[in-house]
C-alpha cells in the first residue's frame, strides 16, 4: 500500500481546533496571499510614492494604526503573524530563536515543537491545498514547521522574491501564500527611517507588490484572491526593538473580492489578527489557542462589531520644535543661551494647548498662538483639542538649559572603547584600552563624535549633586545595552543587544555629591542613550547637566 508521507505527517500532527464565533462571510476566498514587508512603517506608507498600495487601499480596507507586538523585533512579530498569538504564547522573543532553544516553551504544541501556525491549520484541515512560503530573510524559516508548506524558497533579494512569487502564482495558483520582502528593513538599518533612501525602498516595495498582484490576474484567480499587505514593525533612526509608537505601529491593508471597498478601519488591529482573518477568509477553523480575531470591519457581508470603546485618536500629535532627531525627544540641550519653541499642528482641524510645568494639557491650558522663548529648563507637553476635547496623544519636549558662566565645571568626562565584532553585552572595561576621550554635558551619545558607529562603547563618569535627600529612581533608555552606577553600586541594568528599551532602578541618596557612572555600547544598527531621573518632588527628566560635574 502506498502512503502519502506528507499527508500522513499532517494528519498525525493534527491539532484539535475549535471554531471561534466571528463574522459570517458572504463567500469564502479560494486564495489568500500575505505580503509582509519587513520594516515598513506607517510613516513610510504615508510619505513614499505608493500608487499600487494606494489603489489597494482605495478599493479595499485598511488601517495605518495597526500594532505589532513587543518586543518590536522581526522574529517576534513574524511569528505572531504566523501563529495568531503573541510571544508570551508562541515563545519567540528574539531573532536568534530556534525551535528547542527558547526562554520558555510554547503554551500549546503543534508539530515539531512549534506553536500551531497558519500553515499547519490550513494543511491539517485541507491537506490537498497548495501552500507556499517565499521569503528574503533567512530568519523567517526558523519560525514554522516546513512540512506544512508545499513550496518553500529562501530568495537572495527582493527582486527574486517578487519574481519567484509571481511565477509560483501563475504556475500553481496557491490557496495560501506568504511572501516576505526584507529590503526596506535593510535600508532602515543602513540609512535610517525617514530618509530619502528609506522612502525609495518603500516605493520599490510598492512596485514589487504590483508584480505579485498582476500575477493573480495572469493566473486567472484575481476574482477569487484576497491580498493582505502588512509589516512587522516600524523604526526610529537606524533601529527598532524599542517601545515607541513609531516602532510599534504598522500598516494593514486587505484587498480583494471578499473585502469591503474604501473602508478606513477604526477598530483595534493587532498583528496576530492577520492569520485569524486569513483563516476566516479561507473558511478554516481557528484554534482555541489563537488569541487573534478576524478583522470584521474589513470583511464584506459581516455585521459591524459593537465597539464600546473607540480606538486611540487617529489625529496626529502636535509637533514641538526644535523637533526630535532619531530617538531623542523634542526640545534639546542649550548651552549659555535661551531656546525658542514653536508648536505645529499637522492636522487640518483643532487647536493646540500646552503646559510648561510637566502637567497634562487640558481644555483650559494655554492656547498656542506664537513662538515662545524658553529661558530655563522645562518640560513642555502639548495636545491637540477638537471641539474642546483632547484628540491626540500628548507630545513631550525636554528643554535643558545649561549655564556655564558661573565658573563651575558642568557635565561629565567620557572614554570611548573599541569592541570585538558581534559583542552582545557590555565588556569588562578593565581589560581594554580607550581609543579617545572627551567631555559631555549630558549622559548621552548625542553630540559625541565617535570614531566608529558600530562595535563601540562609551563610559561616562562624574558627580551628581543631589539637593534634597530621598529616594531617587534612575532610568536608562538605550540601544544597545547600558548600566548606571551610583557610588559604585549598580542601580540600573539595561544590558544586552536590543533596540531602545528602558530599565530603571531606585536608590536612597543623601544630599550632596555622589559618584555617577554610565556604561553604554552599540553592536550595530541603531544607537542611542538617554539617562533620566525622578524623585519625590522631581518629575521624570534628563539627569540635569547643571547638577553634573566631571570626574577628576
Amino acid at each position: 500500500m502506498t502512503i502519502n508521507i506528507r499527508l500522513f505527517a499532517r494528519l498525525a500532527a493534527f491539532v484539535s481546533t475549535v471554531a471561534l464565533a466571528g463574522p459570517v462571510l458572504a463567500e469564502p476566498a479560494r486564495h489568500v496571499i500575505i505580503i509582509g514587508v519587513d520594516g515598513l512603517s506607517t510613516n513610510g506608507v504615508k510619505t513614499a510614492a505608493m500608487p499600487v498600495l494606494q489603489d489597494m487601499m482605495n478599493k479595499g480596507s485598511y488601517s495605518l494604526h495597526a500594532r505589532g507586538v513587543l518586543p518590536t523585533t522581526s522574529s517576534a512579530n513574524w511569528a505572531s503573524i504566523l501563529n495568531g498569538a503573541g510571544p508570551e504564547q508562541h515563545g519567540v522573543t528574539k531573532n536568534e530563536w530556534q525551535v528547542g532553544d527558547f526562554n520558555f516553551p510554547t503554551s500549546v504544541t503543534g508539530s515539531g515543537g512549534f506553536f500551531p501556525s497558519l500553515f499547519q491549520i490550513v494543511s491539517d484541515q485541507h491537506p490537498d491545498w497548495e501552500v507556499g512560503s517565499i521569503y528574503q530573510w533567512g530568519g523567517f524559516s526558523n519560525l514554522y514547521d516546513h512540512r506544512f508548506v508545499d513550496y518553500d524558497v529562501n530568495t537572495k533579494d527582493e527582486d527574486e522574491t517578487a519574481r519567484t512569487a509571481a511565477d509560483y502564482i501563475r504556475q500553481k495558483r496557491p490557496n495560501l501564500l506568504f511572501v516576505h520582502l526584507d529590503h526596506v528593513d535593510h535600508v532602515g538599518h543602513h540609512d535610517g527611517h525617514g530618509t530619502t533612501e528609506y522612502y525609495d525602498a518603500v516605493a520599490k516595495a510598492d512596485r514589487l507588490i504590483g508584480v505579485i498582484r498582476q500575477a493573480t490576474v495572469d493566473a486567472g484567480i484575481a476574482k477569487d484572491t484576497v491580498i493582505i499587505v502588512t509589516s512587522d514593525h516600524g523604526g526610529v533612526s537606524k533601529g527598532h526593538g524599542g517601545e515607541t509608537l513609531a516602532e510599534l505601529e504598522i500598516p494593514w491593508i486587505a484587498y480583494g473580492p471578499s473585502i469591503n471597498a474604501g473602508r478606513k478601519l477604526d477598530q483595534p488591529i493587532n498583528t496576530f489578527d492577520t492569520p485569524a482573518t486569513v483563516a476566516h477568509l479561507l473558511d478554516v477553523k481557528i484554534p482555541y489557542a489563537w488569541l487573534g480575531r478576524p478583522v470584521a470591519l474589513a470583511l464584506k457581508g459581516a455585521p459591524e462589531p459593537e465597539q464600546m470603546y473607540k480606538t486611540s485618536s487617529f489625529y496626529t500629535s502636535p509637533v514641538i520644535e526644535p523637533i526630535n532627531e532619531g530617538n531623542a525627544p523634542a526640545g534639546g540641550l542649550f548651552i549659555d543661551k535661551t531656546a525658542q519653541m514653536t508648536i505645529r499642528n499637522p492636522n487640518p482641524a483643532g487647536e493646540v494647548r500646552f503646559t510648561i510645568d510637566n502637567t497634562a494639557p487640558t481644555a483650559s491650558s494655554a492656547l498656542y498662538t506664537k513662538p515662545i522663548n524658553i529661558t530655563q529648563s522645562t518640560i513642555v507637553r502639548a495636545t491637540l483639542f477638537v471641539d474642546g476635547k483632547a484628540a491626540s496623544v500628548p507630545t513631550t519636549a525636554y528643554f535643558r538649559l545649561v549655564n556655564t558662566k558661573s565658573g563651575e565645571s558642568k557635565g561629565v568626562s567620557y572614554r570611548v572603547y573599541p569592541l570585538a565584532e558581534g559583542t552582545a553585552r557590555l565588556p569588562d572595561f578593565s581589560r581594554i584600552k580607550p581609543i579617545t576621550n572627551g567631555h559631555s554635558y549630558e549622559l548621552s551619545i548625542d553630540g559625541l563624535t565617535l570614531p566608529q558607529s558600530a562595535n563601540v562603547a562609551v563610559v561616562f563618569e562624574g558627580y551628581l549633586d543631589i539637593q534634597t535627600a530621598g529616594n531617587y529612581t534612575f532610568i536608562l533608555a538605550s540601544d544597545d545595552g547600558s548600566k548606571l552606577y551610583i557610588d559604585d553600586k549598580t542601580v540600573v541594568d539595561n544590558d544586552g543587544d536590543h533596540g531602545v528599551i528602558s530599565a530603571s532602578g531606585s536608590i536612597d541618596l543623601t544630599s550632596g555629591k555622589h559618584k555617577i557612572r554610565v556604561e553604554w555600547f552599540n553592536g550595530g544598527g541603531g544607537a542611542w542613550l538617554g539617562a533620566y531621573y525622578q524623585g519625590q518632588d522631581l518629575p521624570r527628566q534628563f539627569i540635569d547637566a547643571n547638577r553634573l560635574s566631571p570626574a577628576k
Side-chain angles (χ1 to χ4, degrees):
M1 182 175 69
T2 301
I3 299 176
N4 185 321
I5 296 177
R6 181 169 175 272
L7 175 59
F8 179 79
R10 288 178 170 180
L11 294 175
F14 183 79
V15 176
S16 298
T17 58
V18 178
L20 297 179
V24 178
L25 279 174
E27 185 175 342
R30 296 178 61 188
H31 312 272
V32 177
I33 301 170
I34 305 172
I35 303 176
V37 184
D38 205 303
L40 177 62
S41 65
T42 290
N43 173 260
V45 174
K46 289 180 177 179
T47 307
M50 304 197 75
V52 174
L53 205 59
Q54 189 62 55
D55 181 66
M56 294 172 68
M57 292 162 66
N58 292 339
K59 297 176 180 177
S61 295
Y62 71 96
S63 172
L64 298 182
H65 301 278
R67 294 191 176 189
V69 297
L70 296 175
T72 51
T73 57
S74 292
S75 284
N77 276 275
W78 291 126
S80 299
I81 289 177
L82 287 176
N83 294 325
E88 68 283 354
Q89 303 296 321
H90 58 62
V92 181
T93 58
K94 54 188 177 181
N95 287 346
E96 297 76 25
W97 186 92
Q98 294 188 37
V99 65
D101 180 16
F102 42 70
N103 295 326
F104 53 88
T106 59
S107 61
V108 300
T109 303
S111 171
F114 292 91
F115 193 86
S117 71
L118 177 63
F119 293 142
Q120 179 172 355
I121 71 163
V122 168
S123 297
D124 278 342
Q125 296 175 48
H126 296 279
D128 57 325
W129 280 10
E130 181 74 19
V131 177
S133 177
I134 302 169
Y135 46 93
Q136 183 181 348
W137 179 50
F140 186 78
S141 67
N142 296 329
L143 305 177
Y144 61 92
D145 190 331
H146 291 242
R147 291 182 295 171
F148 299 103
V149 177
D150 300 283
Y151 188 71
D152 192 285
V153 180
N154 182 196
T155 52
K156 66 179 181 180
D157 57 35
E158 64 273 17
D159 295 293
E160 182 180 295
T161 303
R163 185 171 58 252
T164 302
D167 290 343
Y168 176 57
I169 291 167
R170 286 189 286 263
Q171 294 170 13
K172 292 293 187 178
R173 299 174 179 83
N175 300 94
L176 173 63
L177 171 61
F178 199 113
V179 182
H180 175 274
L181 298 169
D182 200 32
H183 69 288
V184 173
D185 188 58
H186 285 177
V187 175
H189 284 294
H190 186 270
D191 298 292
H193 285 258
T195 61
T196 299
E197 293 81 2
Y198 177 79
Y199 295 134
D200 288 344
V202 172
K204 182 175 184 179
D206 186 72
R207 295 193 294 273
L208 298 178
I209 292 168
V211 170
I212 297 169
R213 182 174 69 159
Q214 180 59 40
T216 67
V217 177
D218 299 341
I221 61 172
K223 293 183 178 180
D224 301 310
T225 301
V226 171
I227 299 175
I228 295 177
V229 179
T230 189
S231 180
D232 53 343
H233 55 73
V236 176
S237 187
K238 295 183 180 180
H240 61 86
E243 300 174 356
T244 65
L245 195 60
E247 294 162 277
L248 186 64
E249 208 166 49
I250 55 175
W252 194 93
I253 299 100
Y255 165 88
S258 303
I259 302 300
N260 285 316
R263 174 164 284 189
K264 185 177 181 180
L265 304 171
D266 66 350
Q267 71 178 110
I269 300 173
N270 194 281
T271 197
F272 50 64
D273 293 329
T274 299
T277 304
V278 173
H280 197 82
L281 285 165
L282 292 171
D283 199 24
V284 171
K285 291 181 179 180
I286 299 174
Y288 182 79
W290 281 16
L291 302 182
R293 301 173 297 177
V295 181
L297 288 178
L299 305 177
K300 187 177 292 185
E304 194 162 309
E306 180 182 0
Q307 299 191 73
M308 295 178 62
Y309 307 101
K310 293 295 184 181
T311 54
S312 297
S313 169
F314 287 177
Y315 286 105
T316 302
S317 297
V319 178
I320 302 177
E321 298 170 328
I323 62 173
N324 63 311
E325 295 183 5
N327 294 99
L333 177 67
F334 300 86
I335 309 299
D336 295 328
K337 59 182 178 181
T338 61
Q340 186 178 75
M341 178 190 74
T342 60
I343 306 179
R344 178 165 47 87
N345 179 7
N347 304 281
E351 59 188 19
V352 175
R353 294 187 178 273
F354 69 98
T355 62
I356 57 173
D357 60 358
N358 193 46
T359 59
T362 67
S364 59
S365 296
L367 175 68
Y368 177 79
T369 58
K370 61 182 180 180
I372 296 171
N373 287 326
I374 303 294
T375 59
Q376 61 183 13
S377 296
T378 188
I379 302 172
V380 178
R381 301 193 189 278
T383 301
L384 178 74
F385 284 80
V386 176
D387 297 328
K389 296 181 179 179
S392 78
V393 175
T395 300
T396 303
Y398 295 88
F399 287 87
R400 292 98 65 200
L401 277 64
V402 179
N403 177 16
T404 67
K405 298 179 180 179
S406 63
E408 297 180 5
S409 182
K410 304 288 179 68
V412 293
S413 58
Y414 70 85
R415 297 187 301 277
V416 181
Y417 296 82
L419 301 180
E421 187 172 350
T423 298
R425 300 191 69 81
L426 284 162
D428 179 353
F429 288 99
S430 67
R431 302 172 66 90
I432 53 179
K433 293 182 179 181
I435 52 178
T436 188
N437 60 74
H439 171 272
S440 174
Y441 283 105
E442 290 189 310
L443 298 161
S444 173
I445 62 168
D446 291 344
L448 301 190
T449 301
L450 301 180
Q452 57 200 57
S453 60
N455 303 310
V456 65
V458 180
V459 176
F460 301 86
E461 288 186 303
Y463 293 90
L464 173 61
D465 186 13
I466 296 295
Q467 293 183 292
T468 304
N471 184 266
Y472 288 82
T473 297
F474 291 83
I475 305 101
L476 287 180
S478 66
D479 176 0
D480 289 304
S482 58
K483 287 186 178 182
L484 182 146
Y485 303 83
I486 299 291
D487 295 331
D488 299 321
K489 297 178 182 178
T490 303
V491 178
V492 182
D493 186 344
N494 195 15
D495 201 3
D497 181 6
H498 51 70
V500 177
I501 59 175
S502 297
S504 63
S506 298
I507 186 172
D508 290 325
L509 296 177
T510 59
S511 60
K513 289 189 175 183
H514 297 265
K515 288 174 59 178
I516 186 169
R517 174 185 172 101
V518 171
E519 301 173 352
W520 167 87
F521 88 95
N522 182 45
W528 194 65
L529 172 67
Y532 304 80
Y533 69 161
Q534 63 186 46
Q536 182 175 352
D537 298 314
L538 184 74
R540 172 176 165 146
Q541 58 187 275
F542 279 88
I543 295 177
D544 189 354
N546 291 292
R547 301 298 170 195
L548 292 172
S549 56
K552 298 179 181 179

